[in-house]
Amino acid sequence: MERAVSLATENVRLGRGGPFGAVIVYQGEVIADGYNLVTSTNDPTAHAEVVAIRRACAKLGVFHLPEGTEIYASCEPCPMCLAAIYWAHVDKVFYGCTHKDAAEIGFDDSLIYQEMRKRIEERQVPMLPLDREYALRAFEAWRAKVDKVEY
C-alpha cells in the first residue's frame, strides 16, 4: 500500500494525472504498478488500476492474471476499474481511500453507480438497439470458430 500511495502522491507532483496509484502483486512480488495517466495521455480509461493491469498482463504475456494475484490501490476502485479487476481475474483488492474520500476532492463516481442500477432505457446516455440481427453475425462467427482462445 505504501508504494501505491507513493505513486499516487508522486503523480500529483509530476502532473501526469489524478492522485491514484496501484500495485499488482503475485506470490509476494510486485509484478507491475501504475498511476493515473488520464490527463497526460488524453485517455479516460488510463486509471491507475487499469494501467497496472495492462502492464502486468503485458509483462506476463497473459490476459488473465495468475491465481493469487492481488492489487493494492491508493483508492477504492471506480466502477470501470472494478470491472477490469474482474476481467483480469485479480483475486484480492486492498484499497486506501474510499470512493467517498475521492468524491470529496472532485472524483465522484456516484452517477455511474446510479446509472448501473437503472434499466437501460432509463439511463442518461441514450442506449438504443440497432441492427441486432446483423450484429449477431460476429457472435455466430465466434461460436463457429474452432481455434478460438476462450476467456
Side-chain angles (χ1 to χ4, degrees):
M1 183 57 72
E2 185 176 324
R3 183 166 175 176
V5 173
S6 177
L7 287 167
T9 305
E10 179 80 352
N11 206 45
V12 171
R13 189 180 69 73
L14 295 174
R16 293 180 296 211
F20 305 98
V23 178
I24 296 183
V25 175
Y26 175 64
Q27 295 183 337
E29 287 190 43
V30 172
I31 301 299
D33 61 27
Y35 34 84
N36 183 287
L37 295 171
V38 169
T39 58
S40 61
T41 62
N42 296 318
D43 179 355
T45 68
H47 291 200
E49 296 91 335
V50 172
V51 170
I53 289 168
R54 289 173 180 163
R55 290 176 178 172
C57 289
K59 179 178 180 177
L60 298 177
V62 299
F63 54 85
H64 286 160
L65 293 170
E67 188 175 330
T69 300
E70 302 170 341
I71 190 165
Y72 293 78
S74 63
C75 186
E76 178 182 355
C78 75
M80 177 186 68
C81 292
L82 181 61
I85 286 165
Y86 276 94
W87 279 113
H89 293 207
V90 173
D91 288 318
K92 196 175 288 184
V93 177
F94 297 93
Y95 63 92
C97 299
T98 68
H99 70 276
K100 291 179 181 178
D101 297 325
E104 288 178 11
I105 62 164
F107 295 92
D108 190 355
D109 297 324
S110 61
L111 172 66
I112 299 169
Y113 287 110
Q114 292 166 12
E115 289 290 293
M116 289 173 61
R117 285 190 290 269
K118 292 180 181 177
R119 292 188 356 233
I120 198 164
E121 59 274 357
E122 296 173 343
R123 293 181 181 159
Q124 284 185 22
V125 174
M127 299 193 180
L128 309 166
L130 179 66
D131 292 334
R132 178 177 175 265
E133 291 303 317
Y134 180 71
L136 281 171
R137 291 179 182 183
F139 285 9
E140 291 164 5
W142 177 259
R143 184 179 294 120
K145 186 170 177 59
V146 177
D147 60 343
K148 63 188 163 212
V149 177
E150 299 274 358
Y151 64 98

